[in-house]
Amino acid sequence: NAGVTQTPKFQVLKTGQSMTLQCAQDMNHEYMSWYRQDPGMGLRLIHYSVGAGITDQGEVPNGYNVSRSTTEDFPLRLLSAAPSQTSVYFCASSYGGGGSYNEQFFGPGTRLTVL
Amino acid sequence: RKEVEQDPGPFNVPEGATVAFNCTYSNSASQSFFWYRQDCRKEPKLLMSVYSSGNEDGRFTAQLNRASQYISLLIRDSKLSDSATYLCVVNREGNNRLAFGKGNQVVVIP
């Protein structure tokens, strides 16, 4: 199993450009999430999905869109990149949801710089 | 008050020593608790879950104190390979919305 994969690993954008960060998992997990990690801030939840066709907002959703058409894939779209979106983005998946001890499996991250 | 608070450190620990740190959480309805380890520029990985009865995994011991709303991690006989950031993670309100602390940075010194 490849686990959780993310592409690209690094990306530089100009302000106003759009792009999609890809995330895929091969563990048949229902739950998938996107986080961003900034220095001194910890990981913050952007969007999450509890299954194909179902998504919801996290604590910092503005400027990002997601969709979940299959169990395996959970892409994150930046609509119009801003310097404030410079960050490291992690995708994660887990077997089950909250209230239980389900391990989150993280992808290797995408390091995004917006100029 | 932040949902999960950790003292970022760094915690400089001589090799072979014991180090311990706490994490406090604000939501008394939180249901599950974890410690994740994150190496520099890498993804977080689960170190151990933290149960009400406390649990131990080799040199690592985790405790949960619901009354005071904190969890702790103790590392005995520190190894150089233990140098990392340890993230406290708390599940919010019975759904999949996890709250992460900023992490405790541990540096084990030869």
Side-chain angles (χ1 to χ4, degrees):
Chain A
N1 287 349
V4 180
T5 57
Q6 290 183 238
T7 56
K9 291 187 178 180
F10 301 92
Q11 183 70 50
V12 179
L13 292 177
K14 295 181 179 178
T15 297
Q17 287 184 315
S18 62
M19 79 159 295
T20 299
L21 308 185
Q22 301 292 343
C23 174
Q25 52 91 10
D26 61 359
M27 296 174 282
N28 202 32
H29 286 167
E30 289 296 319
Y31 288 78
M32 297 187 73
S33 309
W34 276 102
Y35 296 88
R36 59 177 290 174
Q37 186 174 35
D38 302 296
M41 295 294 292
L43 276 83
R44 291 183 291 170
L45 182 64
I46 304 171
H47 285 284
Y48 67 102
S49 169
V50 300
I54 306 169
T55 63
D56 205 348
Q57 295 182 351
E59 56 184 306
V60 288
N62 292 342
Y64 307 95
N65 273 356
V66 293
S67 59
R68 184 96 180 271
S69 57
T70 67
T71 298
E72 294 78 19
D73 300 298
F74 191 42
L76 178 72
R77 282 184 290 277
L78 279 70
L79 308 174
S80 177
S84 61
Q85 293 179 305
T86 294
S87 188
V88 180
Y89 292 85
F90 289 104
C91 178
S93 74
S94 64
Y95 175 72
S100 54
Y101 282 84
N102 292 297
E103 179 179 357
Q104 296 278 317
F105 293 85
F106 286 85
T110 294
R111 284 159 180 77
L112 176 68
T113 300
V114 183
L115 302 175
Chain B
R1 181 182 176 187
K2 292 194 179 299
E3 196 157 358
V4 179
E5 295 204 59
Q6 294 182 257
D7 177 359
F11 294 78
N12 295 315
V13 185
E15 191 175 7
T18 296
V19 61
F21 32 82
N22 292 341
C23 155
T24 59
Y25 61 95
S26 61
N27 188 344
S28 60
S30 298
Q31 298 186 11
S32 47
F33 309 87
F34 311 87
W35 285 103
Y36 277 72
R37 170 187 170 134
Q38 186 173 27
D39 294 299
C40 186
R41 301 181 69 80
K42 298 285 189 180
E43 71 272 24
K45 293 183 178 179
L46 180 65
L47 176 68
M48 57 198 305
S49 302
V50 188
Y51 303 108
S52 297
S53 56
N55 45 301
E56 185 173 311
D57 183 2
R59 298 181 292 108
F60 297 83
T61 300
Q63 297 283 346
L64 167 63
N65 186 317
R66 285 190 183 272
S68 301
Q69 295 184 203
Y70 75 86
I71 66 174
S72 64
L73 180 67
L74 182 145
I75 308 174
R76 287 183 299 276
D77 188 22
S78 297
K79 312 291 186 190
L80 296 176
S81 58
D82 293 334
S83 296
T85 296
Y86 293 85
L87 305 176
C88 173
V89 184
V90 174
N91 173 273
R92 298 166 167 144
E93 301 172 5
N95 57 31
N96 201 43
R97 297 166 65 94
L98 297 177
F100 286 76
K102 296 179 182 180
N104 299 112
Q105 184 186 3
V106 172
V107 179
V108 181
I109 303 166

